[in-house]
């Protein structure tokens, strides 16, 4: 059973884009398709349902999770302008059925109810000449058709008069009562550019007060402007609204082109970035596109909103959260809002990425579990360190320290150790921080610039990690790996990042900041590409960078693999190892059962040879994940040493004894 409101609590929900802008891509005629003297898109529901279904399908293919019905102007009052008022119920029901067919059982359908063109709260001699009860009946009829057609929610949108919204809510609820079926009501107002008020002067705080009192299930903004002009209002809703908030803007403020055409200037990527920022900063749970937005806009938006989820599913142990922008002065509140939402929706622990003590403290007071603070350094002396360390210690947070002091970034291994020793003395000896939760970032510099200064930098970083681990007992090491490859294409970056990470782990690296989807285990990288990357990392050739870049330019874009299942053809134990190495939960229990069935309980071969002695009850399910991770030293190290959000102290002696007993048995 589909539950729209439950979905908004679990993830960011993406609506579709503008119907009109997408229909412009079809070659439709007034005579044959609309069968009207003008473009009434709702007429296509009756005359060209295949076209409407095609628009819906294009939005779903782009990543939309909610389809709006083609009924924005399908009230009796609007349809009467085209002589279609007698088809009101039919158009609304049929439009819902078309969208339902396209969406299937997995996606949602929102029944769209737009404004009637009247302004009942105004004293305009024509636009204001309609009574509240007349509007209630108009909206009751439209909602009846939509609910009969199978919508999952009603969206009352592009409202310019708050009294009309009230009438629409009343009418929708009368339809629910008659049909003995109710769905959530999403309400969406339109604000004027710059002024930030509705057409009749209602500001956003009054909108919220009114709609909240009317029991709207979702509240937000749509149409009117691009996302930037909605920022202040969206921020207000995100901070104060008690129900889910949506933002569904136009592709910018429209202007007239040289031939009289309407042009919407906002391109897909900038619009997606702005809405993605709204999600991260203000906790907005529903996004989409209105006028001028096409499947390209929705594709960019869908990709932008799944970054955090994608990294968790890809194997990220920790999510690094940074909200700092030089033009904003409210980093602390934005951080609080973002970590609150992440802590409710993502299982991975949170790493608070800020150098401002107030921001760090605000975030730690919001995060319910154990966190990591990223970061401190001595660039401006010890003042900030002296403020941050006690806060981190009080909240039980681990602490990342950059090897930077008043002289600047430590570039050599010797300097990295020197700075790390000084920070350890301040944090652990003066402030009493446990060395086990002090994590040193030995700094990654870019190898792909070609500058002679940075050619030996990877060697110095690797050696710095090795020496910090050897010379400062108990501390951990971390690294922002991807900076090593900045400026080259993704296939080249993925190989260089993976090779550099491998050598850093060999040197003792405990934590790596990477996108796990772009990391390949070292043995699985083609030998020639490993050699090219190793030449660059270890500065073995003067032309190492040129050869590395030339190889990937000649190779071209990566082709998708024809083999959809990478475990196809593997033995059960090999497939199980593949799943464990990549932290892929789906199907792992089946591979365990098949491995046990193949190997047998007491046979000294296969996985028992690698993981335990004959007769060990190794394959009891409560234990298999813990031991199996030992195949991969990198995964084992990360799992053992990463801070956890809840539960007993990581260094509880009882847990250490259990770990030793477990190790001895294995």
């Amino acid at each position: 059973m589909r539950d729209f409101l439950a979905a908004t609590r679990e993830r960011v929900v993406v609506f579709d884009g503008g119907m009109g802008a997408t229909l412009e891509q079809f070659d439709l005629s007034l005579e044959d398709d609309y069968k009207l003297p003008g473009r009434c898109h709702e007429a296509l529901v009756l005359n060209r349902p295949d076209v409407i279904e095609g628009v819906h399908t294009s939005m779903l293919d782009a990543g939309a999770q909610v389809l709006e019905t083609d009924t924005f102007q399908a009230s009796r009052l609007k349809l009467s302008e085209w002589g279609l008022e007698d088809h009101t119920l039919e158009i609304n029901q049929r439009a819902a059925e078309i969208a339902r067919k396209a969406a299937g059982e997995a996606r949602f359908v929102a029944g769209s109810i737009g404004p009637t063109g009247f302004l009942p709260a105004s004293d305009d001699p024509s636009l204001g000449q309609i009574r509240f009860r007349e509007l209630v009946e108009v909206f009751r009829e439209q909602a009846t058709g939509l609910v009969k057609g199978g919508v999952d929610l009603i969206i009352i949108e592009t409202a310019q008069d708050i009294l009309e919204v009230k009438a629409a809510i009343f009418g929708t609820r009368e339809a629910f009562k008659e049909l003995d079926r109710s769905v959530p009501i999403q309400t969406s107002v339109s604000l004027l550019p710059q002024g930030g008020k509705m057409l009749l002067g209602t500001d956003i705080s009054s909108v919220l007060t009114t709609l909240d009192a009317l029991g709207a299930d979702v509240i937000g903004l749509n149409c009117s402007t691009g996302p930037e002009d909605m920022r202040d209002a969206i921020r207000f809703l995100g901070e104060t609204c008690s129900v889910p908030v949506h933002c569904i803007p136009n592709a910018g403020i429209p202007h007239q082109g040289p031939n009289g055409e309407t042009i919407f200037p906002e391109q897909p990527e900038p619009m997606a970035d702005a809405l993605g920022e709204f999600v991260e900063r203000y906790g907005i749970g529903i996004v989409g596109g209105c006028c001028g937005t096409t499947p390209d806009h929705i594709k960019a938006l869908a990709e932008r909103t799944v970054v955090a989820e994608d990294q968790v599913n890809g194997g990220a142990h920790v999510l690094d959260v940074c909200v700092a922008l030089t033009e904003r002065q409210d980093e602390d509140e934005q951080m609080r809002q973002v970590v609150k939402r992440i802590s409710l929706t993502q299982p991975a622990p949170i790493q608070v990425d800020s150098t401002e003590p107030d921001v760090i403290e605000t975030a730690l007071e919001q995060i319910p579990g154990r966190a990591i603070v990223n970061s401190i350094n001595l660039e401006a002396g010890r003042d900030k360190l002296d403020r941050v360390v006690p806060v981190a210690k009080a909240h039980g947070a681990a602490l990342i320290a950059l090897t930077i002091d008043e002289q600047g970034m430590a570039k050599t291994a010797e300097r990295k150790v020197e700075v790390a020793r000084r920070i350890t003395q301040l944090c652990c000896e003066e402030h009493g921080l446990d060395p086990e939760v002090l994590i040193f970032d030995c700094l990654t510099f870019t190898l792909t610039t070609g500058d002679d200064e940075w050619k030996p930098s990877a060697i110095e970083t690797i050696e710095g990690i090795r020496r910090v681990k050897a010379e400062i007992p108990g501390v951990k090491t971390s690294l922002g790996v991807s900076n090593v490859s900045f400026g080259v294409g993704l296939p080249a970056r993925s190989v260089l990042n993976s090779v550099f990470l491998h050598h850093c782990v060999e040197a003792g690296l405990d934590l790596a900041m990477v996108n796990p989807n772009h990391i390949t285990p070292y043995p699985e990288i083609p030998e020639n590409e490993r050699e090219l990357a190793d030449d660059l990392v270890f500065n073995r050739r003067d032309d190492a960078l040129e050869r590395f870049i030339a190889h990937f330019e000649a190779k071209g874009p990566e082709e998708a693999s024809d083999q959809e299942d990478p475990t196809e053809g593997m033995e059960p134990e090999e497939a199980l190892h593949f799943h464990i190495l990549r932290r892929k939960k789906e199907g792992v229990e089946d591979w365990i059962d098949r491995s046990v069935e193949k190997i047998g309980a007491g046979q000294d071969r296969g996985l028992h040879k690698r993981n335990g002695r004959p007769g060990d009850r190794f394959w009891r399910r409560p234990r298999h994940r813990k031991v199996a991770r030992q195949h991969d030293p990198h995964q084992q190290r990360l799992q053992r040493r990463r801070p956890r959000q809840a539960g007993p102290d990581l260094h509880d002696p009882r847990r250490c004894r259990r770990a030793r007993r477990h190790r001895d048995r294995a």
Side-chain angles (χ1 to χ4, degrees):
M1 183 66 180
R2 294 176 302 276
D3 187 335
F4 175 71
L5 294 179
T8 66
R9 292 189 292 268
E10 296 167 359
R11 63 182 187 274
V12 178
V13 176
V14 180
F15 268 61
D16 59 6
M19 176 68 70
T22 310
L23 283 172
E24 292 298 322
Q25 301 174 12
F26 291 82
D27 184 18
L28 301 174
S29 72
L30 298 180
E31 182 179 358
D32 297 328
D33 300 305
Y34 288 94
K35 300 181 180 180
L36 292 169
R39 294 183 181 273
C40 172
H41 297 319
E42 288 72 13
L44 296 174
V45 170
L46 302 179
N47 303 328
R48 290 296 306 273
D50 59 312
V51 171
I52 302 303
E53 185 175 349
V55 172
H56 290 325
T57 301
S58 69
M59 293 296 179
L60 293 172
D61 291 343
Q65 301 159 27
V66 183
L67 296 176
E68 289 197 31
T69 56
D70 182 24
T71 55
F72 179 71
Q73 297 188 80
S75 68
R76 175 173 289 273
L77 291 174
K78 295 301 292 184
L79 291 175
S80 67
E81 298 174 11
W82 303 97
L84 296 174
E85 63 271 23
D86 291 341
H87 297 277
T88 299
L89 191 63
E90 178 187 7
I91 287 174
N92 282 278
Q93 182 170 342
R94 185 71 186 109
E97 291 169 348
I98 294 169
R100 176 81 281 146
K101 177 184 175 185
E105 293 304 312
R107 271 78 67 97
F108 300 100
V109 174
S112 172
I113 295 179
T116 62
F118 286 89
L119 299 171
S122 78
D123 58 1
D124 185 272
S126 57
L127 299 180
Q129 295 307 303
I130 191 166
R131 303 294 292 271
F132 179 80
R133 276 293 156 189
E134 293 178 72
L135 283 174
V136 170
E137 174 56 26
V138 167
F139 291 123
R140 181 205 62 77
E141 181 183 29
Q142 186 175 6
T144 296
L146 293 170
V147 175
K148 282 185 174 181
V151 299
D152 300 297
L153 66 146
I154 296 290
I155 179 168
I156 300 163
E157 57 183 335
T158 322
Q160 318 242 355
D161 183 335
I162 200 70
L163 183 58
E164 187 178 47
V165 180
K166 183 177 179 180
I169 293 173
F170 272 56
T172 298
R173 287 187 174 142
E174 288 194 4
F176 292 168
K177 186 176 180 180
E178 290 179 9
L179 298 172
D180 194 26
R181 180 186 176 227
S182 62
V183 297
I185 297 176
Q186 182 167 334
T187 53
S188 190
V189 304
S190 181
L191 304 180
L192 295 175
Q194 298 177 341
K197 295 182 178 181
M198 296 177 69
L199 184 61
L200 297 182
T202 308
D203 63 21
I204 191 62
S205 62
S206 299
V207 168
L208 177 57
T209 299
T210 303
L211 297 180
D212 189 48
L214 290 171
D217 297 295
V218 180
I219 298 172
L221 307 179
N222 81 297
C223 200
S224 182
T225 70
E228 282 303 325
D229 281 331
M230 295 178 170
R231 181 180 291 273
D232 289 341
I234 286 295
R235 177 185 173 186
F236 173 81
L237 291 176
E239 293 173 351
T240 58
C241 187
S242 61
V243 298
V245 175
H246 71 260
C247 185
I248 305 176
N250 287 347
I253 300 176
H255 62 268
Q256 194 172 57
N259 300 316
E261 73 277 20
T262 300
I263 296 176
F264 289 88
E266 194 88 34
Q267 294 300 305
E269 293 298 336
M271 181 173 171
D273 287 342
L275 288 172
E277 184 187 347
F278 289 179
V279 170
E280 294 162 357
R281 281 185 158 228
Y282 311 134
I284 306 308
I286 304 165
V287 292
C290 198
C291 303
T293 58
T294 65
D296 289 339
H297 289 82
I298 302 307
K299 181 178 181 181
L301 179 56
E303 291 173 354
R304 177 65 173 79
T305 57
V306 299
V307 173
E309 289 91 341
D310 178 56
Q311 292 201 25
V312 170
N313 292 336
H317 302 104
V318 178
L319 290 177
D320 185 85
V321 180
C322 177
V323 299
L325 284 175
T326 55
E327 66 270 19
R328 300 303 298 261
Q329 304 300 317
D330 56 353
E331 183 187 353
D332 55 347
E333 177 59 21
Q334 300 313 316
M335 179 67 81
R336 187 186 72 81
Q337 292 283 347
V338 173
V339 299
K340 180 178 181 179
R341 181 168 186 85
I342 290 175
S343 67
L344 291 171
T345 60
Q346 298 298 332
I350 294 171
Q351 181 165 289
V352 180
D353 193 338
S354 177
T355 59
E356 297 302 318
D358 291 343
V359 175
I360 292 168
E361 185 168 20
T362 298
L364 292 178
E365 289 176 351
Q366 181 62 64
I367 296 169
R370 194 176 191 187
I372 303 175
V373 172
N374 180 20
S375 59
I376 57 170
N377 63 71
L378 296 174
E379 184 176 16
R382 61 177 290 173
D383 289 350
K384 283 189 177 180
L385 179 149
D386 288 333
R387 292 183 61 193
V388 171
V389 174
V391 172
K393 182 183 175 185
H395 286 273
L399 184 60
I400 291 179
L402 308 181
T403 51
I404 303 173
D405 64 6
E406 296 87 345
Q407 298 178 41
M409 296 182 292
K411 299 176 184 177
T412 66
E414 185 67 34
R415 282 275 295 135
K416 295 175 194 293
V417 174
E418 177 188 337
V419 177
R421 286 185 184 279
R422 183 180 169 200
I423 292 175
T424 302
Q425 189 272 327
L426 293 173
C427 292
C428 302
E429 295 181 22
E430 293 194 22
H431 287 288
L433 189 72
D434 185 347
E436 291 278 350
V437 296
L438 182 58
I439 306 165
F440 282 105
D441 186 327
C442 292
L443 306 181
T444 307
F445 299 104
T446 306
L447 289 179
T448 48
T449 63
D451 293 343
D452 289 341
E453 178 184 6
W454 305 117
K455 286 183 178 180
S457 63
I459 300 173
E460 297 293 339
T461 296
I462 294 168
E463 181 60 21
I465 292 168
R466 183 177 288 110
R467 288 190 55 186
V468 166
K469 293 289 293 182
E471 298 177 26
I472 309 178
V475 300
K476 306 294 187 294
T477 55
S478 174
L479 209 60
V481 173
S482 60
N483 194 46
V484 75
S485 63
F486 183 78
V488 296
L490 182 58
R493 293 198 75 177
S494 298
V495 169
L496 184 53
N497 291 349
S498 301
V499 168
F500 181 54
L501 174 62
H502 167 78
H503 294 302
C504 290
V505 170
E506 292 272 293
L509 184 70
D510 298 291
L511 299 143
M513 283 178 271
V514 295
N515 184 333
N517 292 304
H518 299 156
I519 294 297
T520 302
Y522 188 75
E524 296 181 17
I525 301 171
E527 185 177 354
N528 64 324
E529 294 182 353
R530 287 205 311 262
E531 182 178 353
L532 289 168
D534 280 340
D535 286 345
L536 193 54
V537 168
F538 293 109
N539 194 24
R540 298 194 297 213
R541 301 174 56 118
D542 291 337
D543 61 348
L545 178 60
E546 289 79 3
R547 294 176 72 242
F548 182 80
I549 292 174
H551 169 78
F552 285 97
E553 286 181 346
K555 184 178 181 180
E558 292 283 352
E559 296 181 0
S561 174
D562 294 331
Q563 187 178 17
E564 292 185 4
D565 181 4
T567 62
E568 185 177 341
M570 290 185 183
E571 292 297 315
E573 64 270 28
E574 293 172 334
L576 177 60
H577 181 260
F578 178 91
H579 278 260
I580 293 170
L581 185 64
R582 291 158 183 81
R583 299 181 75 239
K584 294 182 179 295
K585 299 177 183 178
E586 294 78 8
V588 72
E589 292 193 356
D590 178 56
W591 285 116
I592 292 171
D593 292 337
R594 291 164 68 177
S595 297
V596 172
E597 181 180 350
K598 174 189 172 184
I599 294 168
Q603 296 181 24
D604 185 13
R605 60 187 175 94
L607 286 175
H608 279 71
K609 284 186 177 181
R610 288 200 295 271
N611 296 320
R613 301 186 304 271
D616 280 354
R617 298 189 66 185
F618 171 73
W619 284 110
R620 286 178 60 192
R621 287 186 184 174
R623 296 178 180 173
H624 80 269
R625 290 187 180 89
K626 293 181 181 177
V627 179
R629 279 198 179 107
Q630 294 177 9
H631 289 312
D632 177 18
H634 182 190
Q635 290 285 0
Q636 177 192 4
R637 186 177 292 114
L638 288 175
Q639 286 294 327
R640 186 174 66 245
R641 296 175 176 173
R642 70 179 176 90
R644 299 189 179 188
Q645 281 188 285
D649 191 321
L650 287 176
H651 311 292
D652 185 334
R654 292 170 297 176
R655 295 188 61 215
C656 294
R657 287 195 294 272
R658 286 197 298 270
R660 284 196 293 271
R661 289 198 301 269
H662 193 69
R663 180 197 62 202
D664 293 339
R665 284 198 299 269

